[in-house]
Amino acid sequence: MIAAPTNTRRTFEFERDTFAFPHELVWKYHFDANGAMTAQKAGTPPTYYHRCFVMCRTTRQFFYHARFEPDAPPADTATYQKLIRVVVSRNVRMPCAEPERIVIPGFEGLRAFSKTHEPLLKAECGAPWESYFLRSHWRMIFPVPIWYRKMMVKKLKASLPKRGLTLVHLFRFPHITINHGIVLYGLNETERAVEFEAYDPNIPEHPVKLIYEKESQQFTFDANRYWGGGPLKVMEIYCDWPY
């Protein structure tokens, strides 16, 4: 497992540093034996959706700029609202110095905080349009040849020790069968593959894996409730200009 950069002073832990609530799906997806997808509107209309990139960004902002103090007395809602607003206004690309972290009292981490203050975090972390108007999204319309995939896996392997958390865009184009953001926080490399450990805002119950298969030189993502599985395109976001 790759450690966090020294200026974050700790490693990322899934059960502590992720949101407890899910990013909701507008559609309910069905996949046949060949992976072909059909979709229909979810029976219960979602109330928190089109924010996967917002949740990825905010996960790193809390990791970079907040310090949770579980032994400190809990604050009131108005105080937590102000603290959240300060955290989400901070730089998503660079961690702050340890003395400059925003202290969140009464909780062990983001997961515990989001269990208790789910409505508050949903209201303050960002709007749906912020997931659509990312300056990095322009890249998805262009081809992703083998050389780009090989460059990207090297970039992600270098980014993790540098940044502690790496945010990526998963997509298919022009067939938009997936257009989603996840958070990479660790990796394991073998002779056959590079396996990235990840937090998926759509699946907060457990970690997921993004895999780069060396023989096929493809990124793959296992089937789940919204994706039929198989190869897809990957791009790091919230990193260097123009991404």
Side-chain angles (χ1 to χ4, degrees), residues 13-233:
E13 295 181 13
F14 182 89
E15 291 296 336
R16 181 189 63 198
D17 298 313
T18 61
F19 286 97
F21 57 80
H23 175 255
E24 298 174 77
L25 301 175
V26 176
W27 300 88
K28 187 174 182 179
Y29 300 94
H30 304 277
F31 304 94
D32 65 19
N34 297 317
M37 180 183 73
T38 57
Q40 64 185 55
K41 285 278 188 178
T44 303
T47 59
Y48 193 75
Y49 55 96
H50 296 332
R51 290 177 173 89
C52 59
F53 293 101
V54 168
M55 292 183 72
C56 290
R57 180 192 69 196
T58 308
T59 299
R60 189 153 76 178
Q61 286 171 312
F62 271 94
F63 186 64
Y64 276 6
H65 302 292
R67 183 173 72 250
F68 288 89
E69 294 192 352
D71 296 329
D76 58 27
T77 300
T79 299
Y80 284 132
Q81 182 182 50
K82 292 177 183 177
L83 295 175
I84 294 168
R85 288 179 177 178
V86 175
V87 171
V88 300
S89 71
R90 293 283 188 91
N91 191 335
V92 69
R93 291 171 174 80
M94 293 290 294
C96 67
E98 189 66 21
E100 297 173 356
R101 287 182 177 271
I102 305 303
V103 175
I104 311 292
F107 294 93
E108 183 181 6
L110 181 59
R111 180 160 284 254
F113 186 42
S114 62
K115 282 182 180 178
T116 301
H117 292 286
E118 177 179 337
L120 186 59
L121 283 157
K122 286 180 174 179
E124 298 297 334
C125 286
W129 68 264
E130 296 177 62
S131 280
Y132 283 98
F133 293 97
L134 292 182
R135 67 190 190 194
S136 59
H137 279 4
W138 65 271
R139 182 62 184 82
M140 69 184 290
I141 68 174
F142 295 100
V144 180
I146 288 177
W147 69 262
Y148 187 89
R149 299 196 295 266
K150 292 169 67 176
M151 178 276 292
M152 184 54 60
V153 73
K154 290 180 181 178
K155 190 173 191 292
L156 296 178
K157 287 167 61 178
S159 180
L160 269 173
K162 177 182 177 182
R163 304 180 192 280
L165 289 185
T166 299
L167 313 186
V168 295
H169 182 187
L170 310 180
F171 61 97
R172 295 288 301 272
F173 192 87
H175 303 290
I176 308 296
T177 48
I178 186 169
N179 182 28
H180 186 45
I182 63 173
V183 178
L184 310 183
Y185 62 87
L187 71 82
N188 179 50
E189 184 168 8
T190 67
E191 292 183 1
R192 301 179 61 182
V194 182
E195 297 184 354
F196 294 95
E197 201 81 11
Y199 157 59
D200 184 342
N202 288 357
I203 308 173
E205 300 90 354
H206 55 77
V208 299
K209 287 186 178 181
L210 175 69
I211 298 174
Y212 178 80
E213 297 178 351
K214 294 180 180 180
E215 183 176 354
S216 65
Q217 298 178 322
Q218 292 271 18
F219 285 97
T220 65
F221 198 48
D222 285 344
N224 55 44
R225 66 189 63 158
Y226 63 89
W227 165 246
L232 40 60
K233 301 171 185 178

